Amino acid sequence: MSKFLDTRTSQNASTGGSIEITLTPMTPTAIGVVGLNVTGAGGELRVTLSGIAAINLPAGPQPEGSVIVLAVVRGTALVQEALVGDVVLPLLPTDTGVKILNLTVSDYNVPYPASNELVYSLAVFSAVGGTRLGPESFYASAYSN
C-alpha cells in the first residue's frame, strides 16, 4: 500500500490576466519551485506533478519552427538532463493571442535525497517571447511503498 509523504503548491497567479511578465525569447524561465519532504519514505519514491501557464504571444507572423514549452525538471537547474516531462506547442505563423499550457507528469523510481527533500521546478520557454499572464500554478505530491 502506498504511503503519502508530502504535497506542495507554488502559485504565482491564480487567475488569467492577474500578472504581466515579459518572457525573453529563447530563454527558459522558472515559474515555480516546490520542495517535498520525503522523510520516512520506504521503498520506491513516486511523485505526481502538474502545472499550468498562460502566455500571450507577440503579434505574428511567428517564425517557422517556433514553439512554446512548459516543462518540469528535477532540482532547480533548467537543463535537459533533469527533465521529468514537458508539453511542447508548435506555433503556426498565424498564431497570436493567449495560449494556455497544461502539464501532468509522474516521476517514478526517484533517487532518495540525502537531504530528505525532493525539489522540482516548473519552467516555461518561448522561442518568440511573449507575456506571462496567469494563471500560473505548480503542484506536486510524493508517495512511497
Side-chain angles (χ1 to χ4, degrees), residues 35-99:
L36 299 166
N37 182 343
V38 294
T39 302
E44 295 176 349
L45 284 173
R46 297 172 304 286
V47 179
T48 57
L49 307 114
S50 63
I52 187 170
I55 299 170
N56 190 22
L57 296 173
Q62 307 306 335
E64 184 74 25
S66 295
V67 297
I68 54 177
V69 179
L70 188 62
V72 172
V73 296
R74 196 181 298 155
T76 57
L78 303 181
V79 295
Q80 181 71 29
E81 297 78 22
L83 182 66
V84 174
D86 61 1
V87 60
V88 178
L89 178 63
L91 299 177
L92 299 172
T94 56
D95 278 339
T96 60
V98 178
K99 301 296 179 189

Side-chain angles (χ1 to χ4, degrees), residues 19 23 25 40 42 101 110 115 122 143:
I19 60 174
L23 280 171
L101 298 169
V110 180
S115 66
L122 180 69
Y143 305 86

Side-chain angles (χ1 to χ4, degrees), residues 23-31 69 78-79 123-126:
L23 280 171
T24 303
M26 303 301 289
T27 305
T29 303
I31 61 172
V69 179
L78 303 181
V79 295
V124 67
F125 170 87
S126 174

